[in-house]
Amino acid sequence: MDASRKLAAEFIGTAFLLATVVGSGIMAERLAGGNVAIALLGNTIPTGAILVVLITMLGPISGAHFNPAVTFAFWLRREIEARDSLLYIAMQVAGGLIGVWAAHLMFGEIVFQASTKMRTGGAQWFAEFIATFGLVFTIFATLKASPKSVPMAVGLYITAAYWFTASTSFANPAVTVARAFSDTFAGIRPADMPLFIVMQFIGAAAAFAICRWLLSRDGKAPEAG
């Protein structure tokens, strides 16, 4: 695929991902009657489901990253050039913002918002490290074991990680940025965003390092180059 189609796929895919995350969060909160567990479940299932759909249909075009941390990990593997990775990330962030604003429009919310939902502290930051490590590990290990299973594996991983991580598994810098602009169930305060993103990139780098050793034929990291 040419570069323009790859970038379009990353933009569209990330937009639909965020429209689902934020839109389902708004719907779930409105229908849950104050039950936060039910609201979270209503947010979790659509997010896992849309990931299966998006990765299945857009994977053949762009690789279906929809996530700067995933793009970063593939750059570390030298499977994407630095320039292309930066363009991917720009499209992911832009698509995420468009998805959030589209969700606001669909639900009659004010379009441009800044979140006031506090998500901070050591437990939350560590959770984002674990969430992103697990996501990148899932992608690389499943690519090695069964490439056709990646969409389902990623969707199921995120579905689980919403519940086993204290942060509800953002695991995605573009998602984190976009959710800072939604003062809804899925939001995060802009002030809390930077450390989430730092831990996400560290988690992706750690998963790359472990997979580089674990998934090599002889158990040794391959030589660079």
Side-chain angles (χ1 to χ4, degrees):
M1 290 289 174
D2 61 71
S4 62
R5 281 189 257 184
K6 290 180 179 179
L7 295 175
E10 287 297 303
F11 177 87
I12 293 167
T14 314
F16 268 99
L17 173 59
L18 265 299
T20 302
V21 170
V22 173
S24 67
I26 295 170
M27 178 72 83
E29 188 172 43
R30 290 181 181 180
L31 298 179
N35 188 319
V36 178
I38 295 298
L40 181 60
L41 185 63
N43 193 204
T44 301
I45 296 171
T47 302
I50 200 65
L51 280 167
V52 175
V53 173
L54 293 172
I55 296 169
T56 298
M57 69 182 184
L58 296 176
I61 300 174
S62 68
H65 295 187
F66 316 138
N67 185 336
V70 171
T71 299
F72 171 65
F74 276 102
W75 173 74
L76 290 175
R77 285 182 23 143
R78 300 186 179 180
E79 294 185 23
I80 185 171
E81 297 294 329
R83 176 181 175 277
D84 292 336
S85 69
L86 292 174
L87 290 172
Y88 264 45
I89 289 169
M91 289 299 101
Q92 291 156 1
V93 173
L97 290 169
I98 293 297
V100 166
W101 295 334
H104 290 166
L105 280 169
M106 287 190 288
F107 285 92
E109 296 276 339
I110 296 169
V111 175
F112 303 108
Q113 306 177 14
S115 179
T116 57
K117 188 163 187 176
M118 184 172 67
R119 298 180 189 263
T120 190
Q124 296 269 312
W125 303 330
F126 181 62
E128 279 304 293
F129 168 83
I130 293 296
T132 314
F133 176 94
L135 173 61
V136 174
F137 188 91
T138 296
I139 292 168
F140 287 167
T142 308
L143 278 171
K144 178 82 170 180
S146 176
K148 291 183 179 180
S149 301
V150 170
M152 186 62 70
V154 170
L156 289 173
Y157 172 79
I158 291 297
T159 299
Y162 256 60
W163 287 83
F164 80 74
T165 64
S167 62
T168 66
S169 186
F170 284 45
N172 183 330
V175 165
T176 306
V177 170
R179 287 169 67 168
F181 292 91
S182 183
D183 195 21
T184 63
F185 182 78
I188 176 174
R189 290 188 312 177
D192 299 334
M193 177 176 61
L195 276 170
F196 265 54
I197 292 171
V198 168
M199 297 308 291
Q200 288 158 4
F201 278 113
I202 293 173
F208 158 77
I210 293 296
C211 288
R212 191 167 181 253
W213 164 74
L214 185 66
L215 304 178
S216 63
R217 287 198 180 101
D218 57 4
K220 297 179 181 178
E223 295 296 325

